[in-house]
mmCIF file of all heavy atoms in Angstrom:
data_model
loop_
_atom_site.group_PDB
_atom_site.id
_atom_site.type_symbol
_atom_site.label_atom_id
_atom_site.label_comp_id
_atom_site.label_asym_id
_atom_site.label_seq_id
_atom_site.Cartn_x
_atom_site.Cartn_y
_atom_site.Cartn_z
ATOM 1 N N LEU A 11 7.947 -5.444 9.196
ATOM 2 C CA LEU A 11 8.792 -6.615 8.920
ATOM 3 C C LEU A 11 8.260 -7.803 9.694
ATOM 4 O O LEU A 11 8.040 -7.699 10.903
ATOM 5 C CB LEU A 11 10.253 -6.313 9.330
ATOM 6 C CG LEU A 11 11.250 -7.436 9.211
ATOM 7 C CD1 LEU A 11 11.471 -7.799 7.739
ATOM 8 C CD2 LEU A 11 12.578 -7.015 9.855
ATOM 9 N N SER A 12 8.009 -8.888 8.984
ATOM 10 C CA SER A 12 7.520 -10.121 9.636
ATOM 11 C C SER A 12 8.498 -11.257 9.369
ATOM 12 O O SER A 12 8.962 -11.433 8.228
ATOM 13 C CB SER A 12 6.154 -10.508 9.062
ATOM 14 O OG SER A 12 5.202 -9.510 9.297
ATOM 15 N N LEU A 13 8.819 -11.985 10.394
ATOM 16 C CA LEU A 13 9.728 -13.125 10.301
ATOM 17 C C LEU A 13 9.073 -14.348 10.934
ATOM 18 O O LEU A 13 8.447 -14.239 11.985
ATOM 19 C CB LEU A 13 11.037 -12.823 11.036
ATOM 20 C CG LEU A 13 11.800 -11.572 10.615
ATOM 21 C CD1 LEU A 13 12.867 -11.222 11.619
ATOM 22 C CD2 LEU A 13 12.376 -11.768 9.232
ATOM 23 N N TRP A 14 9.215 -15.505 10.309
ATOM 24 C CA TRP A 14 8.640 -16.730 10.844
ATOM 25 C C TRP A 14 9.651 -17.388 11.774
ATOM 26 O O TRP A 14 10.784 -17.692 11.392
ATOM 27 C CB TRP A 14 8.262 -17.692 9.716
ATOM 28 C CG TRP A 14 7.680 -18.963 10.216
ATOM 29 C CD1 TRP A 14 8.230 -20.209 10.155
ATOM 30 C CD2 TRP A 14 6.408 -19.130 10.864
ATOM 31 N NE1 TRP A 14 7.386 -21.115 10.736
ATOM 32 C CE2 TRP A 14 6.258 -20.497 11.173
ATOM 33 C CE3 TRP A 14 5.380 -18.262 11.226
ATOM 34 C CZ2 TRP A 14 5.144 -20.992 11.812
ATOM 35 C CZ3 TRP A 14 4.265 -18.768 11.859
ATOM 36 C CH2 TRP A 14 4.147 -20.120 12.132
ATOM 37 N N ASP A 15 9.248 -17.605 13.012
ATOM 38 C CA ASP A 15 10.057 -18.301 14.015
ATOM 39 C C ASP A 15 9.664 -19.781 13.947
ATOM 40 O O ASP A 15 8.635 -20.178 14.499
ATOM 41 C CB ASP A 15 9.795 -17.724 15.397
ATOM 42 C CG ASP A 15 10.588 -18.408 16.480
ATOM 43 O OD1 ASP A 15 11.226 -19.458 16.239
ATOM 44 O OD2 ASP A 15 10.588 -17.895 17.624
ATOM 45 N N ASP A 16 10.441 -20.565 13.234
ATOM 46 C CA ASP A 16 10.088 -21.971 13.022
ATOM 47 C C ASP A 16 10.091 -22.784 14.320
ATOM 48 O O ASP A 16 9.260 -23.669 14.512
ATOM 49 C CB ASP A 16 11.065 -22.616 12.010
ATOM 50 C CG ASP A 16 10.649 -24.010 11.618
ATOM 51 O OD1 ASP A 16 9.483 -24.177 11.206
ATOM 52 O OD2 ASP A 16 11.471 -24.924 11.732
ATOM 53 N N LYS A 17 10.991 -22.427 15.246
ATOM 54 C CA LYS A 17 11.076 -23.159 16.504
ATOM 55 C C LYS A 17 9.793 -23.003 17.304
ATOM 56 O O LYS A 17 9.258 -23.970 17.839
ATOM 57 C CB LYS A 17 12.274 -22.647 17.313
ATOM 58 C CG LYS A 17 12.448 -23.348 18.639
ATOM 59 C CD LYS A 17 13.650 -22.838 19.396
ATOM 60 C CE LYS A 17 13.763 -23.516 20.734
ATOM 61 N NZ LYS A 17 14.841 -22.971 21.524
ATOM 62 N N ASN A 18 9.266 -21.781 17.411
ATOM 63 C CA ASN A 18 8.070 -21.517 18.223
ATOM 64 C C ASN A 18 6.786 -21.486 17.389
ATOM 65 O O ASN A 18 5.698 -21.300 17.950
ATOM 66 C CB ASN A 18 8.217 -20.187 18.956
ATOM 67 C CG ASN A 18 9.317 -20.247 19.996
ATOM 68 O OD1 ASN A 18 9.352 -21.155 20.821
ATOM 69 N ND2 ASN A 18 10.232 -19.320 19.938
ATOM 70 N N LYS A 19 6.919 -21.667 16.071
ATOM 71 C CA LYS A 19 5.781 -21.647 15.144
ATOM 72 C C LYS A 19 4.942 -20.385 15.341
ATOM 73 O O LYS A 19 3.725 -20.422 15.549
ATOM 74 C CB LYS A 19 4.898 -22.909 15.323
ATOM 75 C CG LYS A 19 5.648 -24.209 15.165
ATOM 76 C CD LYS A 19 6.188 -24.357 13.765
ATOM 77 C CE LYS A 19 6.844 -25.735 13.586
ATOM 78 N NZ LYS A 19 7.939 -25.732 12.694
ATOM 79 N N SER A 20 5.627 -19.256 15.300
ATOM 80 C CA SER A 20 4.936 -17.980 15.452
ATOM 81 C C SER A 20 5.665 -16.905 14.636
ATOM 82 O O SER A 20 6.794 -17.079 14.198
ATOM 83 C CB SER A 20 4.884 -17.556 16.929
ATOM 84 O OG SER A 20 6.193 -17.360 17.416
ATOM 85 N N THR A 21 4.989 -15.783 14.469
ATOM 86 C CA THR A 21 5.512 -14.686 13.691
ATOM 87 C C THR A 21 6.129 -13.625 14.596
ATOM 88 O O THR A 21 5.501 -13.241 15.598
ATOM 89 C CB THR A 21 4.414 -14.054 12.833
ATOM 90 O OG1 THR A 21 3.874 -15.070 11.975
ATOM 91 C CG2 THR A 21 4.932 -12.915 11.988
ATOM 92 N N LEU A 22 7.308 -13.195 14.258
ATOM 93 C CA LEU A 22 7.952 -12.075 14.943
ATOM 94 C C LEU A 22 7.748 -10.846 14.046
ATOM 95 O O LEU A 22 7.922 -10.915 12.843
ATOM 96 C CB LEU A 22 9.460 -12.344 15.081
ATOM 97 C CG LEU A 22 9.833 -13.678 15.759
ATOM 98 C CD1 LEU A 22 11.311 -13.926 15.646
ATOM 99 C CD2 LEU A 22 9.373 -13.685 17.201
ATOM 100 N N ARG A 23 7.330 -9.738 14.648
ATOM 101 C CA ARG A 23 7.009 -8.557 13.852
ATOM 102 C C ARG A 23 7.727 -7.333 14.393
ATOM 103 O O ARG A 23 7.889 -7.173 15.603
ATOM 104 C CB ARG A 23 5.494 -8.287 13.918
ATOM 105 C CG ARG A 23 4.657 -9.356 13.308
ATOM 106 C CD ARG A 23 3.190 -9.007 13.345
ATOM 107 N NE ARG A 23 2.887 -7.653 12.976
ATOM 108 C CZ ARG A 23 2.670 -7.227 11.740
ATOM 109 N NH1 ARG A 23 2.734 -8.069 10.739
ATOM 110 N NH2 ARG A 23 2.388 -5.974 11.500
ATOM 111 N N ILE A 24 8.112 -6.478 13.454
ATOM 112 C CA ILE A 24 8.620 -5.150 13.797
ATOM 113 C C ILE A 24 7.827 -4.168 12.939
ATOM 114 O O ILE A 24 7.889 -4.226 11.708
ATOM 115 C CB ILE A 24 10.135 -5.006 13.484
ATOM 116 C CG1 ILE A 24 10.935 -6.015 14.279
ATOM 117 C CG2 ILE A 24 10.581 -3.581 13.756
ATOM 118 C CD1 ILE A 24 12.417 -6.041 13.882
ATOM 119 N N ASP A 25 7.042 -3.340 13.569
ATOM 120 C CA ASP A 25 6.274 -2.293 12.916
ATOM 121 C C ASP A 25 6.744 -0.964 13.443
ATOM 122 O O ASP A 25 6.661 -0.706 14.661
ATOM 123 C CB ASP A 25 4.763 -2.456 13.169
ATOM 124 C CG ASP A 25 4.212 -3.711 12.547
ATOM 125 O OD1 ASP A 25 4.390 -3.890 11.337
ATOM 126 O OD2 ASP A 25 3.596 -4.517 13.277
ATOM 127 N N LEU A 26 7.265 -0.126 12.568
ATOM 128 C CA LEU A 26 7.757 1.207 12.966
ATOM 129 C C LEU A 26 7.213 2.251 12.021
ATOM 130 O O LEU A 26 7.018 2.005 10.843
ATOM 131 C CB LEU A 26 9.282 1.248 12.940
ATOM 132 C CG LEU A 26 10.053 0.338 13.894
ATOM 133 C CD1 LEU A 26 11.540 0.431 13.599
ATOM 134 C CD2 LEU A 26 9.755 0.703 15.342
ATOM 135 N N TRP A 27 6.998 3.424 12.565
ATOM 136 C CA TRP A 27 6.632 4.583 11.744
ATOM 137 C C TRP A 27 7.173 5.828 12.415
ATOM 138 O O TRP A 27 7.334 5.877 13.618
ATOM 139 C CB TRP A 27 5.117 4.683 11.540
ATOM 140 C CG TRP A 27 4.337 4.668 12.785
ATOM 141 C CD1 TRP A 27 3.928 5.760 13.520
ATOM 142 C CD2 TRP A 27 3.873 3.524 13.512
ATOM 143 N NE1 TRP A 27 3.246 5.360 14.637
ATOM 144 C CE2 TRP A 27 3.168 3.992 14.653
ATOM 145 C CE3 TRP A 27 3.933 2.150 13.300
ATOM 146 C CZ2 TRP A 27 2.601 3.121 15.563
ATOM 147 C CZ3 TRP A 27 3.346 1.303 14.206
ATOM 148 C CH2 TRP A 27 2.680 1.788 15.340
ATOM 149 N N THR A 28 7.484 6.813 11.579
ATOM 150 C CA THR A 28 8.010 8.069 12.103
ATOM 151 C C THR A 28 6.871 8.881 12.701
ATOM 152 O O THR A 28 5.704 8.740 12.323
ATOM 153 C CB THR A 28 8.713 8.890 11.014
ATOM 154 O OG1 THR A 28 7.802 9.173 9.977
ATOM 155 C CG2 THR A 28 9.910 8.125 10.453
ATOM 156 N N LYS A 29 7.238 9.794 13.613
ATOM 157 C CA LYS A 29 6.183 10.552 14.282
ATOM 158 C C LYS A 29 5.506 11.555 13.345
ATOM 159 O O LYS A 29 4.442 12.045 13.676
ATOM 160 C CB LYS A 29 6.734 11.233 15.536
ATOM 161 C CG LYS A 29 7.938 12.095 15.340
ATOM 162 C CD LYS A 29 8.414 12.569 16.718
ATOM 163 C CE LYS A 29 9.765 13.201 16.704
ATOM 164 N NZ LYS A 29 10.242 13.526 18.045
ATOM 165 N N ASP A 30 6.084 11.786 12.155
ATOM 166 C CA ASP A 30 5.427 12.700 11.225
ATOM 167 C C ASP A 30 4.635 11.933 10.131
ATOM 168 O O ASP A 30 4.169 12.556 9.165
ATOM 169 C CB ASP A 30 6.446 13.665 10.588
ATOM 170 C CG ASP A 30 7.462 12.954 9.719
ATOM 171 O OD1 ASP A 30 7.670 11.750 9.846
ATOM 172 O OD2 ASP A 30 8.064 13.648 8.864
ATOM 173 N N MET A 31 4.451 10.647 10.300
ATOM 174 C CA MET A 31 3.654 9.847 9.345
ATOM 175 C C MET A 31 2.181 10.196 9.523
ATOM 176 O O MET A 31 1.621 10.005 10.598
ATOM 177 C CB MET A 31 3.866 8.367 9.595
ATOM 178 C CG MET A 31 3.021 7.438 8.752
ATOM 179 S SD MET A 31 3.715 7.263 7.115
ATOM 180 C CE MET A 31 2.735 5.931 6.467
ATOM 181 N N PRO A 32 1.515 10.757 8.482
ATOM 182 C CA PRO A 32 0.108 11.099 8.594
ATOM 183 C C PRO A 32 -0.784 9.852 8.770
ATOM 184 O O PRO A 32 -0.487 8.798 8.213
ATOM 185 C CB PRO A 32 -0.221 11.786 7.276
ATOM 186 C CG PRO A 32 1.101 12.218 6.714
ATOM 187 C CD PRO A 32 2.086 11.183 7.210
ATOM 188 N N VAL A 33 -1.825 9.972 9.565
ATOM 189 C CA VAL A 33 -2.722 8.854 9.857
ATOM 190 C C VAL A 33 -3.339 8.286 8.583
ATOM 191 O O VAL A 33 -3.421 7.077 8.413
ATOM 192 C CB VAL A 33 -3.821 9.266 10.867
ATOM 193 C CG1 VAL A 33 -4.865 8.175 11.026
ATOM 194 C CG2 VAL A 33 -3.198 9.596 12.216
ATOM 195 N N ASP A 34 -3.769 9.162 7.657
ATOM 196 C CA ASP A 34 -4.375 8.633 6.426
ATOM 197 C C ASP A 34 -3.379 7.825 5.586
ATOM 198 O O ASP A 34 -3.724 6.806 5.011
ATOM 199 C CB ASP A 34 -5.003 9.757 5.589
ATOM 200 C CG ASP A 34 -3.977 10.802 5.120
ATOM 201 O OD1 ASP A 34 -3.047 11.106 5.863
ATOM 202 O OD2 ASP A 34 -4.150 11.291 3.997
ATOM 203 N N GLU A 35 -2.101 8.257 5.590
ATOM 204 C CA GLU A 35 -1.097 7.489 4.872
ATOM 205 C C GLU A 35 -0.819 6.165 5.588
ATOM 206 O O GLU A 35 -0.514 5.147 4.964
ATOM 207 C CB GLU A 35 0.190 8.299 4.728
ATOM 208 C CG GLU A 35 0.051 9.420 3.719
ATOM 209 C CD GLU A 35 1.359 10.192 3.523
ATOM 210 O OE1 GLU A 35 2.462 9.653 3.812
ATOM 211 O OE2 GLU A 35 1.279 11.345 3.072
ATOM 212 N N MET A 36 -0.872 6.172 6.930
ATOM 213 C CA MET A 36 -0.653 4.929 7.695
ATOM 214 C C MET A 36 -1.730 3.905 7.351
ATOM 215 O O MET A 36 -1.448 2.741 7.149
ATOM 216 C CB MET A 36 -0.653 5.234 9.191
ATOM 217 C CG MET A 36 -0.414 4.013 10.056
ATOM 218 S SD MET A 36 1.189 3.241 9.841
ATOM 219 C CE MET A 36 2.219 4.409 10.671
ATOM 220 N N LYS A 37 -2.975 4.375 7.286
ATOM 221 C CA LYS A 37 -4.048 3.460 6.916
ATOM 222 C C LYS A 37 -3.848 2.905 5.522
ATOM 223 O O LYS A 37 -4.042 1.716 5.276
ATOM 224 C CB LYS A 37 -5.406 4.177 7.020
ATOM 225 C CG LYS A 37 -5.814 4.458 8.460
ATOM 226 C CD LYS A 37 -7.132 5.176 8.500
ATOM 227 C CE LYS A 37 -7.517 5.552 9.915
ATOM 228 N NZ LYS A 37 -8.849 6.215 9.956
ATOM 229 N N ARG A 38 -3.435 3.750 4.591
ATOM 230 C CA ARG A 38 -3.167 3.307 3.210
ATOM 231 C C ARG A 38 -2.017 2.301 3.178
ATOM 232 O O ARG A 38 -2.048 1.302 2.466
ATOM 233 C CB ARG A 38 -2.883 4.514 2.328
ATOM 234 C CG ARG A 38 -2.497 4.184 0.917
ATOM 235 C CD ARG A 38 -3.647 3.491 0.174
ATOM 236 N NE ARG A 38 -3.190 2.956 -1.074
ATOM 237 C CZ ARG A 38 -3.313 3.571 -2.240
ATOM 238 N NH1 ARG A 38 -3.869 4.739 -2.311
ATOM 239 N NH2 ARG A 38 -2.877 2.981 -3.330
ATOM 240 N N PHE A 39 -0.987 2.575 3.979
ATOM 241 C CA PHE A 39 0.180 1.666 4.071
ATOM 242 C C PHE A 39 -0.271 0.277 4.498
ATOM 243 O O PHE A 39 0.084 -0.724 3.847
ATOM 244 C CB PHE A 39 1.196 2.258 5.050
ATOM 245 C CG PHE A 39 2.330 1.315 5.394
ATOM 246 C CD1 PHE A 39 3.284 0.975 4.457
ATOM 247 C CD2 PHE A 39 2.410 0.761 6.652
ATOM 248 C CE1 PHE A 39 4.330 0.116 4.759
ATOM 249 C CE2 PHE A 39 3.446 -0.103 6.991
ATOM 250 C CZ PHE A 39 4.415 -0.432 6.031
ATOM 251 N N TYR A 40 -1.059 0.193 5.569
ATOM 252 C CA TYR A 40 -1.490 -1.134 6.030
ATOM 253 C C TYR A 40 -2.453 -1.788 5.055
ATOM 254 O O TYR A 40 -2.442 -3.015 4.891
ATOM 255 C CB TYR A 40 -2.040 -1.055 7.459
ATOM 256 C CG TYR A 40 -0.908 -1.001 8.442
ATOM 257 C CD1 TYR A 40 -0.626 0.142 9.187
ATOM 258 C CD2 TYR A 40 -0.060 -2.096 8.608
ATOM 259 C CE1 TYR A 40 0.446 0.171 10.067
ATOM 260 C CE2 TYR A 40 1.000 -2.059 9.471
ATOM 261 C CZ TYR A 40 1.241 -0.937 10.210
ATOM 262 O OH TYR A 40 2.316 -0.877 11.068
ATOM 263 N N LEU A 41 -3.274 -1.020 4.377
ATOM 264 C CA LEU A 41 -4.156 -1.581 3.361
ATOM 265 C C LEU A 41 -3.321 -2.156 2.229
ATOM 266 O O LEU A 41 -3.607 -3.272 1.739
ATOM 267 C CB LEU A 41 -5.120 -0.511 2.849
ATOM 268 C CG LEU A 41 -6.122 -0.954 1.790
ATOM 269 C CD1 LEU A 41 -6.963 -2.122 2.251
ATOM 270 C CD2 LEU A 41 -6.993 0.210 1.385
ATOM 271 N N ASP A 42 -2.300 -1.443 1.784
ATOM 272 C CA ASP A 42 -1.395 -1.967 0.750
ATOM 273 C C ASP A 42 -0.681 -3.236 1.225
ATOM 274 O O ASP A 42 -0.485 -4.175 0.442
ATOM 275 C CB ASP A 42 -0.370 -0.922 0.353
ATOM 276 C CG ASP A 42 -0.931 0.195 -0.515
ATOM 277 O OD1 ASP A 42 -2.085 0.077 -0.981
ATOM 278 O OD2 ASP A 42 -0.207 1.196 -0.741
ATOM 279 N N CYS A 43 -0.296 -3.262 2.504
ATOM 280 C CA CYS A 43 0.343 -4.466 3.043
ATOM 281 C C CYS A 43 -0.595 -5.669 2.981
ATOM 282 O O CYS A 43 -0.202 -6.767 2.575
ATOM 283 C CB CYS A 43 0.760 -4.250 4.510
ATOM 284 S SG CYS A 43 2.195 -3.177 4.719
#
């Protein structure tokens, strides 16, 4: 999740994944993003 902070002109991010998320799927997830 990315949110634009207009006051500070920067991006706030929340990146979460479960501990059972496979590494290959994580790479695919970020590539899709």
Side-chain angles (χ1 to χ4, degrees):
L11 176 66
S12 299
L13 304 166
W14 180 249
D15 180 350
D16 188 52
K17 181 179 178 185
N18 294 309
K19 305 296 184 212
S20 64
T21 302
L22 306 171
R23 297 181 44 88
I24 300 172
D25 294 305
L26 296 174
W27 53 91
T28 60
K29 54 186 169 185
D30 66 339
M31 175 80 170
V33 171
D34 62 324
E35 288 183 22
M36 181 63 74
K37 290 179 182 182
R38 175 64 191 264
F39 170 70
Y40 280 111
L41 181 57
D42 286 350
C43 288

